[in-house]
Amino acid sequence: MRSVRPILKTLLLLAPLTLGAARAGGGAAPPAAPTMNPASAVQPARPAGSAVSLRALADARGLLLGAAVNPTLFDPNEPDYALTLNRHFNAVVAENAMKWAGLHNNREAFAFGFADAIVNAAVKNGQTVRGHTLVWHDSLPPWVYTIQTREELLRAMQDHITGVVTHFRDRVHIWDVVNEAVSDAPGHPLRPSPFLNLIGPDFIDEAFRAAHAADPGAKLYYNDYNTDGLNGKSDAVYELVRGMLARGVPIHGVGFQAHLNTDFDVTGAQVQANLQRFRDLGLDVQMTEVDVQLRPARPEADELARQAAVYRDLLRTCLNVRCAGFITWGVTDFNSWRAAGRPLIFDDVYAPKPAFAAVAQELRK
Ligand code: XIL
C-alpha cells in the first residue's frame, strides 16, 4: 500500500518534520516537495482534510454522503483515515467486509467480527451504514460452487440473507440486496452466476423477499455499474425493477455505482433523465460507488479539473432528482481499488483535491 505513495515515502526518509506537517494539515496545496530545509515546508496544522466539513454541508441538505472503508480504518499508523472519514462523511459502507466471502466463508458459521467493528464504529460516530452486498456473482466462498440443486442453493441464499440481515437489523437499514445481476453482453441478459444458473431468474425476487422478511423496515436496493446514463444496460435494469414492482417484490431503491473516468460526460450521458425514470417508478436512487479516474498521459492540472467537474455534475444531478445518497468508493486515493487512477476527493496525504472543493460548493448551493 505504501508503495503507491512515493512522495510520502521520500518525505519519510528525508524530512520527518515536513511529513508530519503535510499529513496533519493539508489545505488545497499538494504535499510539500522533499527539501533539505524542513522548516520552510511546514504548513499550518488544520483538522483532517479541510476546515470545511462536507458532512455538515450534507447533513444540512439531508443527503447521505458516504465512503467505502477497508481495514485501513483501524490501522494505528493511519489516524488521518478515520479522522477524514468522521469529519467529512455521514455514511459508511464496508468495501469488502460484508460480502458473502467476508461474512460467511465457512458454511457452518458466520464471521461477523470485522464487519461488526466497522458498523459499531459508524454507529458510535453517528453515521448511517449501507449494507453491501447480500447476493453477488463475485466474492463467493468455494462452498457455494459445490451446491448442485436449485432447492439447496435457494435455501442457502435465503439462509445467508436471513442470517446477515437479522444480525445487523438494529444497525443497518439499507441493503444492496442484489449486485450486478445484469450482464454487459449484447441485449443485457442476466449475468451467468451460480444463482442464475441453478435457481433461475427468480433468484432476484427471492433474495429481496428474504431480506424483507428478515427486516421489514430496511430499504432494499438493486445496485449496478455502467447504468448511470441512459443506455442499453440501464434500460435492462429499468425493465428488471419495473417487473419486480409489478410482481409486488419489496424493492425500494436502485444504486448506480458510478465508477467513472474524466472522459465521462454527465450531461451527454443523460444521467438525470435516467435517474428520474427510476424516481418516477417511486424508487429511491443513490450514487453508490463513485470514483472518477484520471486518464494517463495528460496534464495533471487539467485532469484534476476535469475530475472535479465530473464530481460536480454528478452530485448536482443527484441532488436535482433528490437522490438519497452519494457514496465515494474509498476515502483517499492511495488505497482506492483503482489507486493508479487517483479517483477520489482526498489525495495520498488526505489533502482535499479540486474535486473536494467542487463537492463542497455544490452542497452549499
Ligand atoms: C471491489 C473492492 O473495491 C475491491 O477491493 C475488491 O477486490 C473487489 O470489489 N462493484 C462493487 C464493489 O459492487 O463491491 C466492488 O468493490 C467494485 C465494483
Side-chain angles (χ1 to χ4, degrees):
M1 261 183 199
R2 294 303 168 87
S3 63
V4 298
R5 293 195 291 174
I7 298 174
L8 201 56
K9 216 170 181 178
T10 314
L11 284 167
L12 192 61
L13 294 171
L14 292 183
L17 182 58
T18 308
L19 170 71
R23 300 199 54 209
T35 168
M36 295 317 289
N37 176 10
S40 69
V42 171
Q43 300 168 7
R46 279 188 231 152
S50 163
V52 174
S53 160
L54 296 184
R55 180 177 184 167
L57 296 173
D59 284 347
R61 299 198 64 132
L63 177 73
L64 289 183
L65 183 69
V69 299
N70 58 36
T72 309
L73 181 60
F74 302 110
D75 182 346
N77 298 315
E78 292 288 342
D80 285 350
Y81 189 96
L83 285 172
T84 304
L85 179 74
N86 296 334
R87 176 162 180 78
H88 293 293
F89 298 97
N90 60 19
V92 167
V93 53
E95 182 171 358
N96 292 306
M98 290 165 84
K99 293 170 180 174
W100 197 316
L103 293 177
H104 203 177
N105 204 41
N106 170 2
R107 188 172 185 172
E108 312 311 323
F110 289 99
F112 289 119
F114 181 50
D116 273 339
I118 290 174
V119 172
N120 290 343
V123 169
K124 181 171 144 245
N125 290 303
Q127 290 153 322
T128 298
V129 179
R130 285 194 97 250
H132 174 84
T133 176
L134 297 169
V135 180
W136 189 27
H137 64 276
D138 202 329
S139 200
L140 291 170
W143 65 262
V144 170
Y145 294 94
T146 67
I147 295 175
Q148 303 282 340
T149 67
R150 167 183 156 95
E151 198 177 43
E152 190 184 349
L153 186 56
L154 180 57
R155 174 62 60 87
M157 183 187 80
Q158 290 166 333
D159 287 350
H160 174 75
I161 292 170
T162 304
V164 174
V165 173
T166 303
H167 178 81
F168 292 107
R169 197 181 149 130
D170 295 335
R171 297 169 290 165
V172 179
H173 310 291
I174 304 171
W175 284 101
D176 285 335
V177 178
V178 174
N179 196 35
E180 302 180 352
V182 172
S183 84
D184 298 304
H188 304 284
L190 293 180
R191 175 194 305 275
S193 71
F195 307 106
L196 181 71
N197 303 351
L198 220 52
I199 299 173
D202 62 330
F203 85 87
I204 299 175
D205 292 5
E206 294 301 338
F208 278 80
R209 290 193 181 111
H212 185 66
D215 183 359
K219 294 268 195 189
L220 306 182
Y221 277 69
Y222 176 80
N223 192 51
D224 216 327
Y225 67 91
N226 282 353
T227 52
D228 315 296
L230 282 180
N231 57 44
K233 191 171 177 185
S234 63
D235 287 349
V237 171
Y238 181 78
E239 290 309 327
L240 171 70
V241 301
R242 206 162 62 126
M244 292 169 72
L245 289 166
R247 293 190 291 277
V249 175
I251 177 171
H252 311 107
V254 176
F256 300 85
Q257 293 183 9
H259 290 296
L260 306 173
N261 65 45
T262 54
D263 284 335
F264 189 76
D265 177 354
V266 173
T267 307
Q270 297 186 267
V271 174
Q272 183 158 332
N274 184 42
L275 299 183
Q276 188 61 52
R277 64 176 166 166
F278 289 91
R279 295 289 284 128
D280 291 344
L281 291 175
L283 295 168
D284 289 345
V285 300
Q286 297 196 5
M287 313 311 301
T288 51
E289 304 183 14
V290 182
D291 55 12
V292 181
Q293 294 194 79
L294 307 182
R295 304 314 305 255
R298 293 191 190 160
E300 167 161 323
D302 292 358
E303 279 299 282
L304 290 172
R306 290 172 70 109
Q307 183 180 55
V310 175
Y311 270 96
R312 178 199 64 206
D313 293 348
L314 198 65
L315 178 56
R316 182 178 297 171
T317 301
C318 191
L319 292 168
N320 282 346
V321 303
R322 278 173 287 132
C323 67
F326 188 92
I327 318 294
T328 63
W329 202 242
V331 175
T332 184
D333 280 344
F334 81 84
N335 71 3
S336 154
W337 76 311
R338 289 177 167 171
R342 295 157 63 202
L344 297 168
I345 66 175
F346 293 99
D347 73 9
D348 288 355
V349 292
Y350 304 89
K353 296 163 63 182
F356 171 98
V359 167
Q361 193 178 1
E362 216 44 48
L363 289 173
R364 269 202 205 90
K365 280 191 180 157

